[in-house]
Amino acid sequence: MHPFLLAILSLVLFTQCNSKQVSEQSTPTLYQEPHRNQFHFSPDSMWMNDPNGMVYYEGEYHLFYQYYPDSTVWGPMHWGHAVSKDLVHWEHLPIALYPDELGYIFSGSAVIDWNNTSGFGDGETPPMIAIFTHHNSEGERAGAIDFQYQSIAYSLDKGRSWTKYAGNPVVPNPGIKDFRDPKVVWDENSQQWVMVFAAWDHVKLYGSPNLKDWTHLSDFGREWGSHAGVWECPDFFPIALEGTDDQRWLMIVSVQAGSPNGGTGAQYFVGDFNGQEFVLSDDFVAAVRPAEVLNEQRINRDEKTVWVDHGRDNYAGVTWSDVPASDGRRLFIGWMSNWQYALQVPTERWRSAMTLPRELSLIRTSAGPRLAAQPVRELQMLRQEELFWSPEETGGLLSGTAVNQQEWILEFDPLAQPTISEVYLELSNSAGERLLIGYEVESQRFFTDRTITQLADFQAGFATQRHYAPRAPDQAAKIRMHLFLDHASVELFADEGQTVLTDIYFAKSPFTTARLFADGGVWQTNPQVFPLASIWR
């Protein structure tokens, strides 16, 4: 999958040779290069974007991903592959799926066919089925519009080798230019496989008894949500309202433009699925008032949208299939970048990383059901000895430590400290660069601020303003901010994950000092600070 293929083709061709030369030069020790995140997944080398085919099987979480092994910029897409036993430490595996005569291998999903409905099993091992988009670049260059279609492949050895189905594509293109990114789920109620994929400005739902023969069920989304850009990378799954037996269906859809702070982002919808159609829940409809339609063109006047993440750098995120019922979690990961600048970020051997894995939950609020996301509990295994620190004794400063690789838990009570208008954690270095993460009291907004970093000129709009996220409704007075700070990223989970803000950044040198700042008083807090171990060393 790639949203701006025609627009960037010339850039790809121009930079491929140069990027190959860079990769052949001597580099710092692997996974210790400048800007290399230490507890987020990134490829050994070269280009990566969307997470694909995430599935759990026999003790392994599989993470496939859009990968181009010949350059650090986007090119003919493959499926890269890694596995983890704990969602934290990852083992790189050989490329899973290569381009073929039907085209590049764009985004998709994977499931375990436990009952061998596909017939690909051997009688002992249930097949792992990958569902993906074939992208025919020759057809695209020739001016066709039916150059994307859905195909499948299967594996009987835990995803180590794959056989593509001879009958591909299983869902031919009916004449839609953007027709991609299938996500498949088994619906127990209707006893069928359900596939949802993006079709320009909406999604299509198909049903199948065997993963090979598909029938169109319905469409969703033409009149709902953000249409500032093409829709991509949908996800679709049942989820109960937390603490109840009230089961809903959640649909996540990424959109190429119009996210809260600019560029690409992911929106979501809450509804019910009857085996044929997805219909928004009555208590969710008000959150996504339809866009106006003018001369058959959708416009975003007074549009309402609910977002998975308010930061600029969480795109194409989807969830793992087949997580055991004994676990019960809905686990999510996203691509930690933005198509506005993903091709230009200042890394050399590799490009981009994934967000932290997150547990999703659906909670009841006065505004209706809303999504919450929390970092997975397994990340606690990375915690080193806690740094005990009294901000009042040190003037709010924490120096002499690698603050690029830490977990922070901070609290602030605006009612107890009414003279304070703003609080933030500031990271800084000897070059005068600063990164801020905090909260504005009057506007009731969380924020990140990467504008005071020096490696931001690779893209004109990368670091020009603060990025904001509104505080969720129905919160207690005391604010809780849970932060993960890595060498090129910050993830803020506020109020138990009801507000999430993910941003990447690029500093000239590592941050070595942390300071707690309060405008209008002293931030009375006892922060918890944990250095985090690298997952690569």
Side-chain angles (χ1 to χ4, degrees), residues 185-222:
V185 61
W186 173 257
D187 178 29
E188 186 66 24
N189 288 336
S190 60
Q191 289 290 297
Q192 65 178 330
W193 296 102
V194 177
M195 177 192 295
V196 58
F197 55 88
W200 182 47
D201 65 345
H202 64 286
V203 298
K204 290 185 174 293
L205 291 93
Y206 277 60
S208 172
N210 57 15
L211 293 163
K212 297 182 291 189
D213 303 302
W214 293 91
T215 301
H216 177 240
L217 299 175
S218 59
D219 293 353
F220 171 81
R222 284 190 175 93

Coordinates of all heavy atoms in Angstrom, one line a residue, residues 185-222:
V185 N -11.7 -11.3 9.5 CA -12.1 -11.8 10.8 C -13.2 -12.8 10.7 O -14.0 -12.8 9.8 CB -12.6 -10.6 11.7 CG1 -13.8 -9.9 11.1 CG2 -12.9 -11.0 13.1
W186 N -13.2 -13.8 11.6 CA -14.2 -14.8 11.6 C -15.4 -14.3 12.5 O -15.2 -13.9 13.6 CB -13.7 -16.1 12.2 CG -14.8 -17.1 12.4 CD1 -15.4 -17.5 13.5 CD2 -15.4 -17.9 11.4 NE1 -16.4 -18.5 13.3 CE2 -16.4 -18.8 12.0 CE3 -15.3 -18.0 10.0 CZ2 -17.2 -19.7 11.3 CZ3 -16.0 -18.9 9.3 CH2 -17.0 -19.7 9.9
D187 N -16.6 -14.3 11.9 CA -17.8 -13.9 12.6 C -18.5 -15.1 13.1 O -19.1 -15.8 12.3 CB -18.7 -13.0 11.8 CG -19.9 -12.6 12.5 OD1 -19.9 -12.5 13.7 OD2 -21.0 -12.4 11.8
E188 N -18.5 -15.3 14.4 CA -19.1 -16.5 14.9 C -20.6 -16.5 14.7 O -21.2 -17.6 14.5 CB -18.8 -16.7 16.4 CG -19.2 -18.0 17.1 CD -18.5 -19.2 16.5 OE1 -17.4 -19.0 16.0 OE2 -19.1 -20.3 16.6
N189 N -21.2 -15.4 14.9 CA -22.7 -15.3 14.8 C -23.2 -15.7 13.4 O -24.2 -16.4 13.3 CB -23.2 -13.9 15.1 CG -23.1 -13.6 16.6 OD1 -23.0 -14.6 17.4 ND2 -23.0 -12.4 17.0
S190 N -22.6 -15.2 12.3 CA -23.0 -15.5 11.0 C -22.3 -16.6 10.4 O -22.5 -17.0 9.2 CB -22.9 -14.3 10.1 OG -21.6 -13.8 10.0
Q191 N -21.3 -17.2 11.1 CA -20.6 -18.4 10.7 C -19.9 -18.2 9.3 O -20.1 -19.0 8.3 CB -21.5 -19.6 10.6 CG -21.8 -20.1 12.0 CD -20.6 -20.8 12.7 OE1 -20.1 -21.8 12.3 NE2 -20.3 -20.1 13.9
Q192 N -19.2 -17.1 9.2 CA -18.5 -16.8 7.9 C -17.2 -15.9 8.2 O -17.1 -15.3 9.3 CB -19.4 -16.0 7.0 CG -19.8 -14.6 7.5 CD -20.7 -13.8 6.6 OE1 -20.6 -14.0 5.4 NE2 -21.5 -12.9 7.1
W193 N -16.3 -16.0 7.3 CA -15.2 -15.1 7.3 C -15.7 -13.7 6.7 O -16.5 -13.7 5.7 CB -14.1 -15.6 6.4 CG -13.4 -16.8 6.9 CD1 -13.7 -18.1 6.4 CD2 -12.5 -17.0 7.9 NE1 -12.9 -19.0 7.1 CE2 -12.2 -18.3 8.0 CE3 -11.9 -16.1 8.8 CZ2 -11.2 -18.8 9.0 CZ3 -11.0 -16.5 9.7 CH2 -10.7 -17.9 9.8
V194 N -15.3 -12.6 7.3 CA -15.7 -11.3 6.9 C -14.4 -10.5 6.5 O -13.5 -10.5 7.3 CB -16.5 -10.5 7.9 CG1 -16.8 -9.1 7.4 CG2 -17.8 -11.3 8.3
M195 N -14.4 -10.0 5.3 CA -13.3 -9.2 4.8 C -13.8 -7.7 4.7 O -14.8 -7.5 4.1 CB -12.8 -9.7 3.5 CG -11.6 -8.8 2.9 SD -11.3 -9.2 1.2 CE -10.7 -10.9 1.3
V196 N -13.0 -6.8 5.3 CA -13.2 -5.4 5.0 C -12.0 -4.8 4.4 O -10.9 -5.1 4.8 CB -13.6 -4.7 6.4 CG1 -12.4 -4.8 7.4 CG2 -13.9 -3.2 6.1
F197 N -12.2 -4.0 3.4 CA -11.0 -3.4 2.7 C -11.5 -2.0 2.2 O -12.6 -1.7 2.1 CB -10.4 -4.2 1.6 CG -11.4 -4.6 0.5 CD1 -11.6 -3.8 -0.6 CD2 -12.0 -5.9 0.6 CE1 -12.5 -4.2 -1.6 CE2 -12.9 -6.2 -0.4 CZ -13.1 -5.4 -1.5
A198 N -10.5 -1.2 1.9 CA -10.7 0.2 1.6 C -11.0 0.3 0.1 O -10.3 -0.4 -0.7 CB -9.5 1.1 1.9
A199 N -12.0 1.2 -0.3 CA -12.3 1.4 -1.7 C -12.5 2.9 -1.9 O -13.7 3.4 -1.8 CB -13.6 0.6 -2.0
W200 N -11.4 3.6 -2.0 CA -11.4 5.0 -2.2 C -11.9 5.8 -0.9 O -11.1 6.0 0.0 CB -12.1 5.5 -3.4 CG -12.0 7.0 -3.7 CD1 -10.9 7.7 -3.6 CD2 -13.1 7.8 -4.0 NE1 -11.2 9.0 -3.9 CE2 -12.6 9.1 -4.2 CE3 -14.5 7.6 -4.2 CZ2 -13.3 10.2 -4.5 CZ3 -15.3 8.7 -4.6 CH2 -14.7 10.0 -4.7
D201 N -13.2 6.2 -0.9 CA -13.7 7.0 0.2 C -14.6 6.2 1.1 O -15.3 6.8 1.9 CB -14.5 8.2 -0.4 CG -15.7 7.8 -1.2 OD1 -15.8 6.6 -1.5 OD2 -16.6 8.6 -1.5
H202 N -14.6 4.9 1.1 CA -15.4 4.1 2.0 C -14.7 2.7 2.1 O -13.6 2.5 1.6 CB -16.8 4.0 1.4 CG -16.9 3.3 0.1 ND1 -16.5 3.8 -1.1 CD2 -17.4 2.0 -0.2 CE1 -16.8 3.0 -2.0 NE2 -17.3 1.9 -1.5
V203 N -15.4 1.8 2.8 CA -14.9 0.4 2.9 C -16.0 -0.5 2.3 O -17.2 -0.2 2.3 CB -14.6 0.0 4.3 CG1 -13.5 0.9 4.8 CG2 -15.8 0.0 5.2
K204 N -15.6 -1.7 1.9 CA -16.5 -2.7 1.4 C -16.3 -3.9 2.3 O -15.2 -4.2 2.8 CB -16.1 -3.1 -0.1 CG -16.5 -2.0 -1.1 CD -16.3 -2.5 -2.5 CE -16.8 -1.5 -3.5 NZ -18.3 -1.3 -3.5
L205 N -17.4 -4.6 2.6 CA -17.4 -5.8 3.3 C -17.8 -7.0 2.4 O -18.8 -6.9 1.7 CB -18.4 -5.7 4.5 CG -18.0 -4.7 5.6 CD1 -18.6 -3.3 5.4 CD2 -18.4 -5.2 7.0
Y206 N -17.0 -8.0 2.5 CA -17.3 -9.3 1.8 C -17.4 -10.4 2.8 O -16.8 -10.4 3.8 CB -16.2 -9.5 0.8 CG -16.3 -8.8 -0.5 CD1 -16.3 -7.4 -0.6 CD2 -16.4 -9.5 -1.7 CE1 -16.3 -6.7 -1.8 CE2 -16.4 -8.8 -3.0 CZ -16.4 -7.4 -3.0 OH -16.5 -6.8 -4.2
G207 N -18.1 -11.5 2.4 CA -18.2 -12.7 3.2 C -17.8 -13.9 2.4 O -17.8 -14.0 1.2
S208 N -17.3 -14.9 3.2 CA -16.8 -16.1 2.6 C -16.9 -17.3 3.5 O -16.6 -17.1 4.7 CB -15.3 -16.0 2.1 OG -14.8 -17.2 1.7
P209 N -17.2 -18.5 3.0 CA -17.2 -19.7 3.9 C -15.8 -20.3 4.0 O -15.6 -21.1 4.8 CB -18.2 -20.6 3.2 CG -18.0 -20.3 1.7 CD -17.8 -18.8 1.7
N210 N -14.9 -19.9 3.0 CA -13.7 -20.7 2.9 C -12.4 -19.9 2.6 O -11.4 -20.4 2.3 CB -13.8 -21.8 1.8 CG -14.2 -21.2 0.5 OD1 -14.1 -19.9 0.3 ND2 -14.6 -22.0 -0.4
L211 N -12.5 -18.6 2.6 CA -11.4 -17.6 2.4 C -11.0 -17.6 0.9 O -10.1 -16.8 0.6 CB -10.2 -18.0 3.2 CG -10.3 -17.8 4.7 CD1 -9.2 -18.6 5.5 CD2 -10.3 -16.3 5.1
K212 N -11.6 -18.4 0.1 CA -11.3 -18.4 -1.4 C -12.5 -17.8 -2.2 O -12.2 -17.1 -3.2 CB -11.0 -19.8 -1.8 CG -9.8 -20.4 -1.2 CD -9.5 -21.8 -1.7 CE -10.6 -22.8 -1.3 NZ -10.2 -24.2 -1.6
D213 N -13.7 -18.0 -1.8 CA -14.8 -17.6 -2.6 C -15.6 -16.5 -1.8 O -16.1 -16.8 -0.7 CB -15.8 -18.8 -2.8 CG -15.1 -19.9 -3.6 OD1 -14.6 -19.7 -4.7 OD2 -15.1 -21.0 -3.0
W214 N -15.6 -15.3 -2.4 CA -16.1 -14.1 -1.6 C -17.3 -13.5 -2.3 O -17.3 -13.4 -3.5 CB -14.9 -13.1 -1.5 CG -13.8 -13.5 -0.6 CD1 -12.7 -14.2 -1.0 CD2 -13.7 -13.4 0.8 NE1 -11.9 -14.5 0.1 CE2 -12.5 -14.0 1.2 CE3 -14.5 -12.8 1.8 CZ2 -12.1 -14.0 2.5 CZ3 -14.1 -12.8 3.1 CH2 -12.9 -13.4 3.5
T215 N -18.2 -13.0 -1.5 CA -19.4 -12.4 -1.9 C -19.5 -11.0 -1.3 O -19.3 -10.9 -0.1 CB -20.7 -13.2 -1.6 OG1 -20.6 -14.5 -2.1 CG2 -21.9 -12.5 -2.1
H216 N -19.9 -10.0 -2.1 CA -20.0 -8.7 -1.6 C -21.2 -8.6 -0.6 O -22.3 -9.0 -1.0 CB -20.2 -7.7 -2.7 CG -20.5 -6.3 -2.3 ND1 -21.6 -5.6 -2.6 CD2 -19.7 -5.4 -1.5 CE1 -21.5 -4.4 -2.0 NE2 -20.4 -4.3 -1.4
L217 N -21.0 -8.1 0.6 CA -22.1 -8.0 1.6 C -22.7 -6.6 1.6 O -23.9 -6.4 1.5 CB -21.6 -8.3 3.0 CG -21.0 -9.7 3.2 CD1 -20.4 -9.9 4.6 CD2 -22.1 -10.8 3.0
S218 N -21.9 -5.6 1.7 CA -22.3 -4.2 1.9 C -21.2 -3.2 1.8 O -20.0 -3.6 1.8 CB -23.1 -4.0 3.2 OG -22.2 -4.3 4.3
D219 N -21.5 -1.9 1.8 CA -20.5 -0.9 1.9 C -20.8 0.0 3.2 O -21.9 0.0 3.7 CB -20.6 0.1 0.7 CG -20.2 -0.6 -0.6 OD1 -19.8 -1.8 -0.6 OD2 -20.4 0.0 -1.7
F220 N -19.7 0.6 3.6 CA -19.9 1.5 4.8 C -19.0 2.7 4.6 O -17.8 2.6 4.1 CB -19.6 0.8 6.1 CG -19.5 1.8 7.2 CD1 -20.7 2.2 7.9 CD2 -18.3 2.3 7.7 CE1 -20.6 3.1 8.9 CE2 -18.2 3.2 8.7 CZ -19.4 3.6 9.4
G221 N -19.5 3.9 5.0 CA -18.6 5.1 5.2 C -18.7 6.2 4.3 O -18.1 7.2 4.5
R222 N -19.4 6.1 3.2 CA -19.5 7.2 2.2 C -20.0 8.5 2.9 O -19.5 9.6 2.6 CB -20.4 6.9 1.1 CG -19.8 5.9 0.0 CD -20.6 5.8 -1.2 NE -20.0 5.0 -2.3 CZ -20.2 3.7 -2.4 NH1 -21.1 3.1 -1.6 NH2 -19.7 3.1 -3.4

